[in-house]
Amino acid sequence: MTTSRANIRAIAEDLYVWLPPKRGWGLANCGLLTSSTTAAWIDAPYDPSLAGEFLAESRARLAPGVGIDRVIATHANGDHLWGAVVLPDAEVIATREAMEHIHYEPTPQQQHALIADGDPASPLGWYLARHFGGFDWSETGAVHPTLMFRGELELKVGDHPVHVIGLPPAHTEGDLIVHLPRQNAVFAGDVIFGSTADFPGDHPVHWAGPLQNVIDACGQVLATGAGIVVPGHGPVLDRAGVQEHIAHLAHVQERAHALHAAGVPALDAARTVIAEQRYPELGLPERLVVTIAAEYRHLDGSEQPGIIDVMSRVATVAAELEAARFPVQRNREAGPDRLTV
């Protein structure tokens, strides 16, 4: 059973954000917009346990008789979508393009089996168990949107206007942002990964790209004029925080292009950028393997590998980093729990 003890707090009129207490894979931010007649979630937590926790917190903030009738999914990664199973009667809204990523990822039960049956002595088995082993999808079926759109969508939650803006391929093939003009807020999904000096986040991970599209999506967030920006992960940001994130993305883009031009393979390019430690405060540097490989595909037209192949490369680099941090432990005589790289 997953327990987060997430922090839910009001950030504007009738608007709450649910922030997991730590960083890491799968620990996404979610939003609750309430009114006297209806309410909506913006994204849903990763597994039913976390989603049940968010649901209990949400119900405590609703007027009597009011239910959560909609879930607006900023994209189709499971950590923003799968928890919608706890609201079986809610309308689940996503872009039509989000189906591309739904077909790319394992289903919840496939992912559960992959982790449960993995070899803990292999880099992939070790990595999946470490970062995803605390979630439980053993009884979670596939989750699909019930309302899909292209372009933009205008909604109302009670009297609150909700402007949903579909994006070109960026973090995934089917991202969107949610602008709440009355609340002066935007939920940006994973086109933005939040980090501040007080609350460092993780390295961004982008499955689709190119990075210029991610940078442009950040520009669209700023173009709304909103002063409160809720990223997909990490602390809530102001406009200056978004600008800092754009600078980070531009740096990764520049390094990826330079290393590609120099003929460095994508995996070695990720190792190079990690070793440069431009952002040492950020967690999960191995995620640069995904982002830089996606950027390379746009530069050379190569095919996207399957998600197991991608995560195997991520796990290999993570194991290398772990071995470099703890060389004594890694050089000990092999035992049943020893990771072999």
Side-chain angles (χ1 to χ4, degrees):
M1 179 177 179
T2 311
T3 302
S4 80
R5 296 183 182 175
N7 169 34
I8 186 167
R9 60 185 176 90
I11 55 173
E13 177 190 0
D14 293 334
L15 180 63
Y16 303 84
V17 64
W18 186 81
L19 298 169
K22 60 183 180 178
R23 59 190 183 180
W25 286 98
L27 298 173
N29 301 331
C30 300
L32 168 69
L33 181 62
T34 69
S35 76
S36 61
T37 57
T38 186
W41 275 2
I42 303 168
D43 286 333
Y46 208 1
D47 73 359
S49 177
L50 289 176
E53 178 185 320
F54 183 37
L55 181 57
E57 294 284 2
S58 297
R59 284 174 170 161
R61 289 156 176 82
L62 300 179
V66 173
I68 299 163
D69 300 316
R70 288 185 175 128
V71 178
I72 306 171
T74 59
H75 59 290
N77 281 143
D79 58 337
H80 296 257
L81 177 64
W82 290 352
V85 296
V86 303
L87 295 171
D89 297 324
E91 181 177 58
V92 179
I93 301 171
T95 67
R96 289 193 177 277
E97 294 80 5
M99 292 301 298
E100 294 292 328
H101 198 84
I102 288 175
H103 293 148
Y104 181 67
E105 279 198 358
T107 66
Q109 289 188 350
Q110 286 172 338
Q111 185 153 315
H112 184 84
L114 182 67
I115 296 162
D117 299 337
D119 178 3
S122 71
L124 181 61
W126 160 77
Y127 192 81
L128 293 179
R130 168 178 279 196
H131 294 287
F132 299 91
F135 303 106
D136 184 0
W137 306 286
S138 57
E139 298 182 3
T140 305
V143 180
H144 293 98
T146 54
L147 173 62
M148 294 178 286
F149 73 99
R150 287 193 173 97
E152 300 185 11
L153 190 64
E154 298 288 346
L155 304 172
K156 287 267 193 170
V157 173
D159 292 332
H160 298 304
V162 180
H163 186 197
V164 185
I165 305 168
L167 302 171
H171 173 67
T172 68
E173 295 290 340
D175 301 318
L176 61 82
I177 61 175
V178 181
H179 178 212
L180 306 172
R182 181 174 292 177
Q183 286 75 19
N184 189 35
V186 174
F187 281 73
D190 284 3
V191 297
I192 299 177
F193 284 75
S195 183
T196 64
D198 292 334
F199 300 100
D202 290 315
H203 277 272
V205 56
H206 295 300
W207 303 93
L211 281 169
Q212 190 57 53
N213 282 8
V214 184
I215 292 168
D216 291 345
C218 294
Q220 283 192 258
V221 169
L222 292 174
T224 66
I228 302 168
V229 177
V230 181
H233 299 258
V236 176
L237 301 177
D238 58 17
R239 295 176 65 82
V242 177
Q243 293 286 8
E244 291 173 6
H245 187 64
I246 289 172
H248 179 182
L249 295 171
H251 168 73
V252 175
Q253 179 189 48
E254 184 277 326
R255 294 300 295 130
H257 285 222
L259 291 162
H260 183 272
V264 179
L267 189 58
D268 289 336
R271 291 184 173 111
T272 298
V273 178
I274 291 168
E276 291 168 353
Q277 295 192 28
R278 176 69 177 267
Y279 297 95
E281 73 280 7
L282 298 181
L284 302 174
E286 64 271 14
R287 300 210 298 200
L288 284 161
V289 170
V290 181
T291 301
I292 289 177
E295 191 69 4
Y296 266 49
R297 290 197 299 273
H298 290 282
L299 293 171
D300 56 32
S302 55
E303 292 294 319
Q304 184 179 35
I307 194 166
I308 301 302
D309 288 340
V310 173
M311 291 304 296
S312 293
R313 294 168 197 171
V314 170
T316 295
V317 170
E320 293 168 356
L321 295 171
E322 184 85 351
R325 288 178 61 212
F326 303 108
V328 175
Q329 290 90 326
R330 291 299 177 224
N331 289 332
R332 289 176 179 166
E333 184 177 350
D337 297 323
R338 182 179 181 272
L339 170 65
T340 56
V341 181

